[in-house]
Coordinates of all heavy atoms in Angstrom, one line a residue:
M1 N 22.2 27.5 18.9 CA 20.8 27.4 18.2 C 19.8 28.1 19.2 O 19.7 27.8 20.4 CB 20.5 26.0 17.9 CG 19.2 25.8 17.2 SD 19.1 24.2 16.4 CE 18.9 23.1 17.8
S2 N 18.9 28.9 18.6 CA 17.9 29.5 19.4 C 16.8 28.5 19.8 O 16.7 27.5 19.1 CB 17.3 30.7 18.7 OG 16.4 30.2 17.7
Q3 N 16.1 28.8 20.8 CA 15.1 27.9 21.2 C 14.0 27.7 20.2 O 13.2 26.7 20.2 CB 14.5 28.3 22.5 CG 15.5 28.1 23.6 CD 14.9 28.0 25.0 OE1 13.8 28.6 25.2 NE2 15.5 27.3 25.9
S4 N 13.8 28.7 19.3 CA 12.7 28.6 18.3 C 13.1 27.6 17.1 O 12.2 27.2 16.4 CB 12.4 30.0 17.7 OG 13.5 30.5 17.1
Q5 N 14.4 27.3 17.0 CA 14.8 26.4 15.9 C 14.6 25.0 16.4 O 14.8 24.6 17.5 CB 16.3 26.6 15.6 CG 16.5 27.9 14.8 CD 18.0 28.0 14.5 OE1 18.8 28.2 15.4 NE2 18.3 28.0 13.2
C6 N 14.2 24.2 15.4 CA 13.9 22.8 15.7 C 15.1 21.9 15.1 O 15.5 22.1 14.0 CB 12.7 22.3 15.0 SG 11.3 22.2 16.0
G7 N 15.6 21.0 15.9 CA 16.6 20.1 15.4 C 15.9 19.0 14.6 O 14.7 18.8 14.7
V8 N 16.7 18.3 13.8 CA 16.2 17.2 13.0 C 15.4 16.2 13.9 O 14.4 15.7 13.6 CB 17.3 16.5 12.2 CG1 16.8 15.3 11.5 CG2 17.9 17.5 11.2
S9 N 16.0 15.9 15.0 CA 15.4 14.9 15.9 C 14.0 15.3 16.3 O 13.2 14.4 16.6 CB 16.3 14.6 17.1 OG 16.5 15.8 17.8
D10 N 13.8 16.6 16.4 CA 12.4 17.1 16.8 C 11.4 16.8 15.7 O 10.2 16.7 16.0 CB 12.4 18.6 17.0 CG 13.3 18.9 18.2 OD1 13.4 18.1 19.2 OD2 14.0 20.0 18.2
R11 N 11.9 16.7 14.5 CA 10.9 16.5 13.4 C 10.7 15.0 13.1 O 9.9 14.6 12.4 CB 11.4 17.2 12.1 CG 11.6 18.7 12.3 CD 11.7 19.3 11.0 NE 12.0 20.7 11.2 CZ 13.2 21.3 11.0 NH1 14.2 20.6 10.5 NH2 13.4 22.6 11.2
L12 N 11.6 14.2 13.6 CA 11.5 12.8 13.3 C 10.3 12.2 14.0 O 9.9 12.7 15.1 CB 12.7 12.0 13.8 CG 14.0 12.2 13.0 CD1 15.1 11.5 13.6 CD2 13.8 11.8 11.5
F13 N 9.7 11.2 13.5 CA 8.5 10.6 14.1 C 8.8 9.1 14.1 O 9.5 8.6 13.3 CB 7.2 11.0 13.5 CG 7.1 10.7 12.0 CD1 6.8 9.5 11.5 CD2 7.4 11.7 11.1 CE1 6.7 9.2 10.2 CE2 7.3 11.5 9.8 CZ 7.0 10.3 9.3
T14 N 8.2 8.4 15.0 CA 8.3 7.0 15.0 C 7.0 6.4 14.5 O 5.9 7.0 14.6 CB 8.6 6.5 16.5 OG1 7.5 7.0 17.3 CG2 9.9 6.9 17.0
I15 N 7.1 5.2 13.9 CA 6.0 4.5 13.4 C 5.7 3.3 14.2 O 6.7 2.5 14.4 CB 6.2 4.2 11.9 CG1 6.4 5.4 11.1 CG2 5.1 3.3 11.4 CD1 6.8 5.1 9.6
R16 N 4.5 3.1 14.6 CA 4.2 1.9 15.3 C 3.1 1.2 14.5 O 2.2 1.8 14.0 CB 3.6 2.3 16.7 CG 3.3 1.2 17.6 CD 2.8 1.7 19.0 NE 1.6 2.4 18.9 CZ 0.4 1.8 18.8 NH1 0.3 0.5 18.7 NH2 -0.7 2.5 18.7
Y17 N 3.2 -0.1 14.4 CA 2.3 -0.8 13.6 C 1.8 -2.0 14.4 O 2.5 -2.8 14.9 CB 2.9 -1.3 12.3 CG 1.9 -1.7 11.3 CD1 1.4 -0.8 10.3 CD2 1.3 -3.0 11.3 CE1 0.4 -1.2 9.4 CE2 0.4 -3.4 10.4 CZ -0.1 -2.5 9.5 OH -1.1 -2.9 8.6
K18 N 0.4 -2.1 14.5 CA -0.2 -3.2 15.1 C -0.8 -4.0 14.0 O -1.7 -3.5 13.3 CB -1.2 -2.8 16.1 CG -1.7 -4.0 16.9 CD -2.6 -3.5 18.0 CE -3.3 -4.7 18.7 NZ -4.4 -4.3 19.5
C19 N -0.4 -5.2 13.8 CA -0.7 -6.0 12.6 C -2.0 -6.9 12.9 O -2.1 -7.6 13.8 CB 0.4 -6.9 12.2 SG 0.3 -7.5 10.6
D20 N -2.9 -6.7 11.9 CA -4.1 -7.6 12.0 C -3.7 -8.9 11.3 O -2.8 -9.0 10.5 CB -5.2 -6.9 11.2 CG -6.6 -7.5 11.4 OD1 -6.6 -8.5 12.1 OD2 -7.6 -7.0 10.9
D21 N -4.5 -10.0 11.6 CA -4.2 -11.2 10.8 C -4.9 -11.3 9.5 O -4.8 -12.3 8.8 CB -4.4 -12.5 11.7 CG -5.8 -12.5 12.3 OD1 -6.6 -11.6 11.9 OD2 -6.1 -13.4 13.0
Q22 N -5.7 -10.3 9.2 CA -6.4 -10.3 8.0 C -6.0 -9.1 7.2 O -5.9 -8.0 7.7 CB -7.9 -10.2 8.2 CG -8.5 -11.6 8.6 CD -10.0 -11.6 8.6 OE1 -10.6 -10.6 8.9 NE2 -10.6 -12.7 8.2
S23 N -5.8 -9.2 5.9 CA -5.4 -8.1 5.0 C -6.5 -7.1 4.8 O -7.6 -7.5 4.6 CB -4.9 -8.7 3.7 OG -4.5 -7.6 2.8
H24 N -6.1 -5.8 4.9 CA -7.1 -4.8 4.6 C -6.9 -4.4 3.1 O -7.6 -3.5 2.6 CB -6.8 -3.5 5.4 CG -5.5 -2.9 5.3 ND1 -4.3 -3.5 5.7 CD2 -5.1 -1.8 4.7 CE1 -3.3 -2.8 5.4 NE2 -3.7 -1.7 4.8
L25 N -6.1 -5.1 2.4 CA -5.9 -4.9 0.9 C -6.2 -6.2 0.2 O -5.6 -7.2 0.5 CB -4.4 -4.5 0.7 CG -3.8 -3.3 1.5 CD1 -2.3 -3.4 1.5 CD2 -4.4 -2.0 0.9
I26 N -7.1 -6.1 -0.7 CA -7.5 -7.3 -1.4 C -7.4 -7.1 -2.9 O -7.9 -6.2 -3.5 CB -9.0 -7.7 -1.1 CG1 -9.3 -7.7 0.4 CG2 -9.4 -9.0 -1.8 CD1 -8.8 -8.8 1.1
I27 N -6.8 -8.1 -3.6 CA -6.8 -8.1 -5.0 C -8.1 -8.7 -5.5 O -8.5 -9.8 -5.1 CB -5.6 -9.0 -5.6 CG1 -4.2 -8.5 -5.1 CG2 -5.7 -9.2 -7.1 CD1 -3.8 -7.2 -5.8
K28 N -8.8 -7.9 -6.3 CA -10.2 -8.3 -6.6 C -10.2 -9.5 -7.5 O -11.0 -10.5 -7.3 CB -11.0 -7.2 -7.3 CG -11.2 -5.9 -6.4 CD -11.9 -4.8 -7.2 CE -11.9 -3.5 -6.4 NZ -12.4 -2.4 -7.2
E29 N -9.5 -9.5 -8.6 CA -9.5 -10.6 -9.6 C -8.1 -11.0 -10.0 O -7.4 -10.2 -10.6 CB -10.3 -10.1 -10.9 CG -11.7 -9.8 -10.7 CD -12.6 -11.0 -10.6 OE1 -12.2 -12.1 -10.9 OE2 -13.7 -10.8 -10.1
A30 N -7.7 -12.2 -9.7 CA -6.4 -12.7 -10.0 C -6.1 -12.6 -11.5 O -5.0 -12.3 -12.0 CB -6.2 -14.1 -9.5
D31 N -7.2 -12.9 -12.3 CA -7.1 -12.9 -13.7 C -6.7 -11.6 -14.3 O -6.0 -11.4 -15.3 CB -8.4 -13.3 -14.4 CG -8.4 -14.8 -14.7 OD1 -7.4 -15.5 -14.3 OD2 -9.3 -15.3 -15.4
T32 N -7.2 -10.5 -13.6 CA -6.9 -9.2 -14.1 C -5.4 -8.9 -14.0 O -4.8 -8.3 -14.8 CB -7.8 -8.1 -13.3 OG1 -9.1 -8.5 -13.4 CG2 -7.5 -6.7 -13.8
C33 N -4.8 -9.3 -12.9 CA -3.4 -9.1 -12.7 C -2.6 -9.9 -13.7 O -1.6 -9.5 -14.2 CB -3.0 -9.6 -11.3 SG -3.6 -8.5 -10.0
L34 N -3.1 -11.1 -14.0 CA -2.4 -12.0 -15.0 C -2.4 -11.3 -16.4 O -1.3 -11.3 -17.1 CB -3.2 -13.3 -15.1 CG -2.6 -14.4 -16.0 CD1 -1.2 -14.8 -15.4 CD2 -3.5 -15.6 -16.0
K35 N -3.4 -10.6 -16.7 CA -3.5 -9.9 -18.0 C -2.8 -8.5 -18.0 O -2.6 -7.9 -19.0 CB -5.0 -9.7 -18.4 CG -5.6 -11.0 -18.8 CD -7.1 -10.8 -19.1 CE -7.9 -12.1 -19.1 NZ -9.3 -11.9 -18.7
C36 N -2.6 -8.0 -16.8 CA -2.0 -6.7 -16.6 C -0.5 -6.7 -17.1 O 0.3 -7.4 -16.6 CB -2.0 -6.3 -15.2 SG -1.3 -4.7 -14.8
T37 N -0.3 -5.8 -18.1 CA 1.1 -5.9 -18.7 C 2.1 -4.9 -18.0 O 3.3 -5.1 -18.1 CB 1.0 -5.4 -20.2 OG1 0.4 -4.2 -20.3 CG2 0.2 -6.5 -21.0
T38 N 1.5 -4.0 -17.2 CA 2.4 -2.9 -16.7 C 2.8 -3.2 -15.2 O 3.8 -2.7 -14.7 CB 1.8 -1.6 -16.8 OG1 0.4 -1.6 -16.2 CG2 1.7 -1.1 -18.2
K39 N 2.0 -4.0 -14.5 CA 2.2 -4.3 -13.1 C 2.6 -3.0 -12.3 O 3.5 -3.0 -11.5 CB 3.3 -5.3 -13.0 CG 3.1 -6.6 -13.8 CD 2.1 -7.5 -13.2 CE 2.0 -8.9 -13.8 NZ 1.3 -8.9 -15.1
D40 N 1.8 -2.0 -12.5 CA 2.1 -0.7 -11.9 C 2.2 -0.8 -10.4 O 3.1 -0.1 -9.8 CB 0.9 0.3 -12.2 CG 0.7 0.5 -13.6 OD1 0.8 -0.4 -14.4 OD2 0.5 1.7 -14.0
C41 N 1.5 -1.7 -9.7 CA 1.5 -1.7 -8.3 C 2.9 -2.1 -7.7 O 3.2 -1.8 -6.6 CB 0.4 -2.7 -7.8 SG 0.7 -4.4 -8.4
N42 N 3.7 -2.8 -8.6 CA 5.0 -3.2 -8.2 C 5.9 -2.0 -8.0 O 7.0 -2.0 -7.5 CB 5.6 -4.2 -9.1 CG 5.0 -5.5 -9.1 OD1 5.7 -6.5 -9.2 ND2 3.7 -5.6 -8.9
Y43 N 5.5 -0.8 -8.6 CA 6.3 0.4 -8.6 C 5.7 1.5 -7.8 O 6.5 2.3 -7.2 CB 6.5 0.8 -10.1 CG 7.1 -0.3 -10.9 CD1 6.2 -1.0 -11.8 CD2 8.4 -0.7 -10.8 CE1 6.7 -2.1 -12.5 CE2 8.8 -1.8 -11.5 CZ 8.0 -2.5 -12.4 OH 8.4 -3.5 -13.1
F44 N 4.4 1.7 -7.8 CA 3.9 2.9 -7.1 C 3.8 2.8 -5.6 O 3.8 3.9 -4.9 CB 2.6 3.4 -7.7 CG 1.4 2.4 -7.5 CD1 0.9 2.0 -6.3 CD2 0.7 1.9 -8.7 CE1 -0.1 1.2 -6.1 CE2 -0.3 1.0 -8.5 CZ -0.8 0.7 -7.3
C45 N 3.8 1.6 -5.1 CA 3.7 1.5 -3.6 C 5.0 1.9 -2.9 O 6.0 1.2 -3.2 CB 3.3 0.1 -3.2 SG 3.3 -0.1 -1.4
P46 N 5.0 2.9 -2.0 CA 6.3 3.3 -1.4 C 6.8 2.2 -0.4 O 7.9 2.3 0.0 CB 5.9 4.6 -0.7 CG 4.4 4.4 -0.4 CD 3.9 3.7 -1.6
S47 N 6.0 1.2 -0.1 CA 6.4 0.2 0.9 C 6.6 -1.1 0.3 O 6.7 -2.1 1.0 CB 5.3 0.1 2.0 OG 5.2 1.3 2.8
D48 N 6.6 -1.2 -1.0 CA 6.8 -2.5 -1.7 C 5.8 -3.6 -1.3 O 6.2 -4.7 -1.0 CB 8.2 -3.0 -1.5 CG 9.2 -2.1 -2.3 OD1 8.9 -1.5 -3.3 OD2 10.4 -2.0 -1.8
V49 N 4.6 -3.2 -1.1 CA 3.6 -4.2 -0.6 C 3.3 -5.2 -1.7 O 3.1 -6.4 -1.5 CB 2.3 -3.4 -0.2 CG1 1.2 -4.4 0.0 CG2 2.6 -2.7 1.2
Y50 N 3.2 -4.7 -3.0 CA 2.8 -5.6 -4.1 C 4.0 -6.1 -4.9 O 4.9 -5.4 -5.2 CB 1.9 -4.8 -5.0 CG 0.7 -4.3 -4.3 CD1 0.6 -3.0 -4.0 CD2 -0.4 -5.1 -4.0 CE1 -0.5 -2.4 -3.3 CE2 -1.5 -4.6 -3.4 CZ -1.6 -3.3 -3.0 OH -2.6 -2.8 -2.3
E51 N 3.9 -7.4 -5.2 CA 5.0 -8.0 -6.0 C 4.4 -9.1 -6.9 O 3.6 -9.9 -6.4 CB 6.1 -8.6 -5.1 CG 7.3 -9.0 -5.8 CD 8.4 -9.5 -4.9 OE1 8.4 -9.1 -3.7 OE2 9.2 -10.3 -5.4
W52 N 4.8 -9.0 -8.1 CA 4.3 -10.0 -9.1 C 5.1 -11.3 -8.9 O 6.4 -11.3 -9.0 CB 4.4 -9.6 -10.5 CG 4.0 -10.6 -11.5 CD1 4.8 -11.2 -12.4 CD2 2.7 -11.1 -11.7 NE1 4.1 -12.1 -13.1 CE2 2.8 -12.1 -12.7 CE3 1.5 -10.9 -11.1 CZ2 1.7 -12.8 -13.1 CZ3 0.4 -11.7 -11.5 CH2 0.5 -12.6 -12.5
E53 N 4.5 -12.4 -8.5 CA 5.2 -13.7 -8.2 C 5.1 -14.5 -9.5 O 4.0 -15.0 -9.9 CB 4.4 -14.4 -7.1 CG 5.0 -15.7 -6.7 CD 6.4 -15.7 -6.3 OE1 6.7 -15.0 -5.3 OE2 7.2 -16.4 -7.0
K54 N 6.2 -14.5 -10.2 CA 6.2 -15.1 -11.6 C 5.8 -16.5 -11.6 O 5.0 -17.0 -12.4 CB 7.6 -14.9 -12.2 CG 7.9 -13.6 -12.8 CD 9.2 -13.5 -13.4 CE 9.6 -12.1 -13.8 NZ 11.0 -11.8 -14.0
K55 N 6.3 -17.3 -10.7 CA 6.1 -18.8 -10.7 C 4.6 -19.0 -10.4 O 4.0 -19.9 -11.1 CB 6.9 -19.5 -9.6 CG 8.3 -19.8 -10.1 CD 9.0 -20.7 -9.1 CE 10.5 -20.8 -9.6 NZ 11.3 -21.3 -8.5
L56 N 4.0 -18.4 -9.5 CA 2.6 -18.6 -9.1 C 1.7 -17.8 -10.0 O 0.4 -18.1 -9.9 CB 2.4 -18.3 -7.6 CG 3.2 -19.1 -6.6 CD1 3.0 -18.5 -5.2 CD2 2.9 -20.5 -6.7
K57 N 2.2 -16.8 -10.7 CA 1.4 -15.9 -11.5 C 0.3 -15.2 -10.7 O -0.9 -15.2 -11.1 CB 0.8 -16.7 -12.7 CG 1.8 -17.3 -13.6 CD 1.1 -17.8 -14.9 CE 2.0 -18.6 -15.8 NZ 3.3 -18.0 -16.1
I58 N 0.7 -14.7 -9.6 CA -0.2 -13.9 -8.8 C 0.5 -12.7 -8.2 O 1.8 -12.6 -8.2 CB -0.8 -14.7 -7.5 CG1 0.4 -15.2 -6.7 CG2 -1.7 -15.8 -8.0 CD1 -0.1 -15.7 -5.3
T59 N -0.3 -11.7 -7.8 CA 0.3 -10.5 -7.1 C 0.3 -10.8 -5.7 O -0.8 -11.1 -5.1 CB -0.5 -9.2 -7.4 OG1 -0.5 -9.0 -8.8 CG2 0.0 -8.0 -6.7
T60 N 1.4 -10.8 -5.0 CA 1.4 -11.0 -3.6 C 1.2 -9.7 -2.9 O 1.6 -8.7 -3.4 CB 2.7 -11.7 -3.1 OG1 3.8 -10.9 -3.5 CG2 2.9 -13.1 -3.7
V61 N 0.7 -9.8 -1.7 CA 0.3 -8.5 -1.0 C 0.9 -8.6 0.5 O 0.4 -9.3 1.3 CB -1.2 -8.3 -0.9 CG1 -1.6 -7.0 -0.2 CG2 -1.8 -8.4 -2.3
A62 N 2.0 -7.9 0.7 CA 2.6 -7.8 2.1 C 1.9 -6.7 2.8 O 2.5 -5.7 3.2 CB 4.1 -7.6 2.0
Y63 N 0.6 -6.9 3.2 CA -0.2 -5.9 3.8 C 0.3 -5.3 5.1 O 0.1 -4.2 5.4 CB -1.7 -6.4 4.0 CG -1.8 -7.4 5.1 CD1 -2.1 -7.0 6.4 CD2 -1.6 -8.7 4.8 CE1 -2.2 -8.0 7.4 CE2 -1.7 -9.7 5.8 CZ -2.1 -9.3 7.1 OH -2.2 -10.2 8.1
E64 N 1.1 -6.1 5.8 CA 1.7 -5.7 7.0 C 2.7 -4.5 6.9 O 3.0 -3.9 7.8 CB 2.3 -6.9 7.8 CG 3.5 -7.5 7.1 CD 3.1 -8.6 6.1 OE1 1.9 -8.7 5.7 OE2 4.0 -9.3 5.7
N65 N 3.1 -4.3 5.6 CA 4.1 -3.2 5.4 C 3.4 -1.9 5.0 O 4.0 -0.9 4.8 CB 5.1 -3.6 4.3 CG 6.0 -4.7 4.7 OD1 6.2 -5.0 5.9 ND2 6.5 -5.4 3.7
C66 N 2.1 -2.0 4.8 CA 1.4 -0.8 4.3 C 1.4 0.4 5.2 O 1.2 0.2 6.4 CB -0.1 -1.2 4.0 SG -1.2 0.2 3.6
I67 N 1.7 1.6 4.7 CA 1.8 2.8 5.5 C 0.5 3.6 5.3 O 0.5 4.8 5.7 CB 3.0 3.6 5.3 CG1 3.2 4.0 3.8 CG2 4.3 2.8 5.8 CD1 4.3 5.0 3.6
E68 N -0.5 3.0 4.6 CA -1.8 3.7 4.5 C -1.7 5.0 3.7 O -2.4 6.0 4.1 CB -2.5 3.8 5.8 CG -2.8 2.5 6.5 CD -3.1 2.6 7.9 OE1 -3.7 3.6 8.4 OE2 -2.8 1.6 8.7
C69 N -0.9 5.1 2.7 CA -0.8 6.3 1.9 C -2.0 6.5 1.0 O -2.3 7.6 0.5 CB 0.5 6.4 1.2 SG 0.5 5.3 -0.3
G70 N -2.7 5.4 0.7 CA -3.9 5.5 -0.2 C -3.6 5.4 -1.7 O -4.6 5.4 -2.4
T71 N -2.4 5.4 -2.1 CA -2.1 5.4 -3.5 C -2.8 4.3 -4.3 O -3.3 4.5 -5.4 CB -0.6 5.4 -3.7 OG1 0.0 6.4 -3.0 CG2 -0.2 5.5 -5.2
C72 N -2.8 3.1 -3.7 CA -3.3 2.0 -4.5 C -4.8 2.1 -4.7 O -5.4 1.3 -5.5 CB -2.8 0.7 -3.9 SG -3.3 0.4 -2.2
R73 N -5.5 3.0 -4.0 CA -6.9 3.1 -4.2 C -7.2 3.7 -5.7 O -8.2 3.5 -6.2 CB -7.5 4.2 -3.3 CG -7.4 3.7 -1.9 CD -8.0 4.8 -1.0 NE -9.4 4.5 -0.6 CZ -10.0 5.1 0.4 NH1 -9.4 6.0 1.1 NH2 -11.3 4.8 0.6
I74 N -6.2 4.5 -6.1 CA -6.4 5.1 -7.4 C -5.4 4.8 -8.5 O -5.7 5.0 -9.7 CB -6.4 6.7 -7.2 CG1 -5.1 7.1 -6.6 CG2 -7.6 7.2 -6.4 CD1 -4.8 8.6 -6.5
A75 N -4.3 4.1 -8.1 CA -3.2 4.0 -9.1 C -3.3 2.7 -9.9 O -2.6 2.6 -10.9 CB -1.9 4.1 -8.4
C76 N -4.0 1.7 -9.4 CA -4.1 0.5 -10.3 C -4.9 0.8 -11.5 O -6.1 1.3 -11.4 CB -4.8 -0.7 -9.5 SG -5.2 -2.1 -10.6
P77 N -4.4 0.6 -12.7 CA -5.1 1.0 -13.9 C -6.4 0.2 -14.1 O -7.3 0.7 -14.9 CB -4.1 0.7 -15.1 CG -3.1 -0.2 -14.5 CD -3.0 0.0 -13.0
S78 N -6.5 -0.9 -13.5 CA -7.7 -1.7 -13.7 C -8.6 -1.7 -12.4 O -9.6 -2.4 -12.3 CB -7.4 -3.2 -13.9 OG -6.5 -3.3 -15.1
D79 N -8.3 -0.8 -11.5 CA -9.1 -0.6 -10.3 C -9.3 -2.0 -9.6 O -10.4 -2.4 -9.3 CB -10.5 0.0 -10.6 CG -11.3 0.3 -9.3 OD1 -10.6 0.5 -8.2 OD2 -12.5 0.4 -9.3
N80 N -8.2 -2.7 -9.5 CA -8.3 -4.1 -9.1 C -7.9 -4.4 -7.7 O -7.6 -5.5 -7.2 CB -7.4 -5.0 -10.0 CG -7.7 -6.5 -10.0 OD1 -8.9 -6.8 -9.8 ND2 -6.7 -7.3 -10.1
I81 N -7.7 -3.3 -6.9 CA -7.3 -3.4 -5.5 C -8.5 -2.9 -4.6 O -8.8 -1.7 -4.8 CB -6.0 -2.7 -5.2 CG1 -4.9 -3.2 -6.1 CG2 -5.7 -2.7 -3.7 CD1 -3.6 -2.4 -6.0
H82 N -9.0 -3.7 -3.8 CA -9.9 -3.3 -2.8 C -9.2 -2.8 -1.5 O -8.4 -3.6 -1.0 CB -10.9 -4.4 -2.4 CG -11.9 -4.0 -1.4 ND1 -12.9 -3.1 -1.7 CD2 -12.1 -4.4 -0.1 CE1 -13.7 -2.9 -0.6 NE2 -13.2 -3.7 0.4
W83 N -9.4 -1.6 -1.1 CA -8.6 -0.9 -0.1 C -9.5 -0.4 1.0 O -10.5 0.4 0.7 CB -7.8 0.2 -0.7 CG -6.8 0.9 0.1 CD1 -5.4 0.7 0.0 CD2 -6.9 1.9 1.1 NE1 -4.8 1.5 0.9 CE2 -5.7 2.2 1.6 CE3 -8.0 2.5 1.8 CZ2 -5.4 3.2 2.6 CZ3 -7.8 3.4 2.8 CH2 -6.5 3.7 3.2
V84 N -9.3 -0.8 2.2 CA -10.0 -0.1 3.3 C -9.0 0.2 4.4 O -7.9 -0.4 4.4 CB -11.1 -1.1 3.9 CG1 -12.2 -1.3 2.9 CG2 -10.5 -2.4 4.4
Y85 N -9.3 1.0 5.3 CA -8.5 1.2 6.5 C -8.5 0.0 7.3 O -9.5 -0.7 7.4 CB -8.9 2.4 7.3 CG -8.5 3.8 6.8 CD1 -9.4 4.6 6.2 CD2 -7.1 4.1 6.8 CE1 -9.0 5.9 5.7 CE2 -6.7 5.3 6.3 CZ -7.6 6.2 5.8 OH -7.2 7.4 5.3
P86 N -7.3 -0.3 7.9 CA -7.3 -1.5 8.9 C -8.4 -1.3 9.9 O -8.8 -0.1 10.3 CB -5.9 -1.4 9.5 CG -5.1 -0.7 8.5 CD -6.0 0.3 7.9
K87 N -8.9 -2.4 10.5 CA -9.9 -2.3 11.5 C -9.4 -1.5 12.7 O -8.2 -1.3 12.9 CB -10.2 -3.7 12.0 CG -11.1 -4.5 11.1 CD -11.5 -5.8 11.7 CE -10.3 -6.8 11.8 NZ -10.6 -8.1 12.1
G88 N -10.3 -0.9 13.5 CA -10.0 -0.1 14.6 C -9.0 -0.8 15.5 O -9.1 -1.9 15.9
G89 N -7.9 0.0 15.8 CA -6.9 -0.5 16.7 C -5.7 -1.2 16.0 O -4.7 -1.4 16.6
Y90 N -6.0 -1.5 14.7 CA -4.9 -2.1 13.9 C -4.3 -1.0 13.0 O -4.9 0.0 12.8 CB -5.4 -3.3 13.1 CG -5.7 -4.5 14.0 CD1 -7.0 -4.8 14.3 CD2 -4.7 -5.3 14.5 CE1 -7.4 -5.8 15.1 CE2 -5.0 -6.3 15.3 CZ -6.3 -6.6 15.6 OH -6.6 -7.7 16.4
G91 N -3.2 -1.3 12.3 CA -2.6 -0.4 11.4 C -1.6 0.4 12.0 O -1.0 0.2 13.0
I92 N -1.4 1.6 11.3 CA -0.2 2.4 11.6 C -0.5 3.5 12.5 O -1.6 4.1 12.4 CB 0.4 2.8 10.3 CG1 1.9 3.2 10.5 CG2 -0.3 4.0 9.7 CD1 2.7 3.2 9.2
T93 N 0.4 3.9 13.4 CA 0.3 5.1 14.2 C 1.6 5.9 14.0 O 2.6 5.3 14.2 CB 0.1 4.7 15.7 OG1 -1.0 3.8 15.8 CG2 -0.1 6.0 16.5
Y94 N 1.4 7.2 13.7 CA 2.6 8.0 13.6 C 2.7 8.8 15.0 O 1.7 9.4 15.4 CB 2.4 9.0 12.5 CG 2.4 8.4 11.1 CD1 1.2 8.1 10.5 CD2 3.6 8.1 10.5 CE1 1.2 7.5 9.3 CE2 3.6 7.5 9.3 CZ 2.4 7.2 8.6 OH 2.4 6.6 7.4
K95 N 3.8 8.7 15.6 CA 3.9 9.4 16.9 C 5.1 10.3 16.8 O 6.2 9.9 16.5 CB 4.2 8.3 18.0 CG 4.3 8.9 19.3 CD 4.6 7.9 20.4 CE 4.8 8.5 21.7 NZ 5.5 7.7 22.6
Y96 N 4.8 11.6 16.9 CA 5.9 12.6 16.9 C 6.6 12.7 18.2 O 6.0 12.6 19.3 CB 5.3 14.0 16.5 CG 4.8 14.0 15.1 CD1 3.5 13.6 14.8 CD2 5.6 14.4 14.1 CE1 3.0 13.6 13.5 CE2 5.1 14.4 12.8 CZ 3.9 14.0 12.5 OH 3.4 13.9 11.2
G97 N 7.9 12.9 18.2 CA 8.5 13.2 19.4 C 9.9 12.6 19.4 O 10.5 12.2 18.5
Ligands
LIG101 S1 -3.1 -4.9 -8.9 FE1 -3.5 -3.7 -10.7 S2 -1.5 -2.9 -11.3 FE2 -1.1 -4.6 -10.0 S3 -0.9 -6.3 -11.3 FE3 -3.0 -6.3 -10.7 S4 -4.1 -5.1 -12.3 FE4 -1.9 -4.7 -12.5
LIG102 S1 -2.0 2.3 0.8 FE1 0.1 3.0 0.0 S2 1.6 1.9 1.3 FE2 -0.4 0.8 1.5 S3 -0.4 -0.8 -0.1 FE3 -1.4 1.1 -1.0 S4 0.3 2.2 -2.1 FE4 1.2 0.7 -0.6

């Protein structure tokens, strides 16, 4: 392999996450989720952050798994998710190498 070619391991990156004790993702209105028939958030999030809890009738938010892709800012049909970046120093860091 020539030196100009990159091996797979060169392209891999590691993910480091420093977890805040407060969620940066907030469900605005529990009632809106209750009425939501499609529960889109259970499907569009690549990190499975949102899950409809049938017994409690709430959407649970595993914010510590969020990779900050931003999809849930626009993909909830009822605009029912308040999304901000984690506070400075918290959240995800992508490190190439
Ligand atoms: S967050 Fe949005 S998509 Fe998810 S259950 Fe609530 S209203 Fe539906
Ligand atoms: S920003 Fe992306 S990874 Fe994080 S909760 Fe929203 S959809 Fe999931």
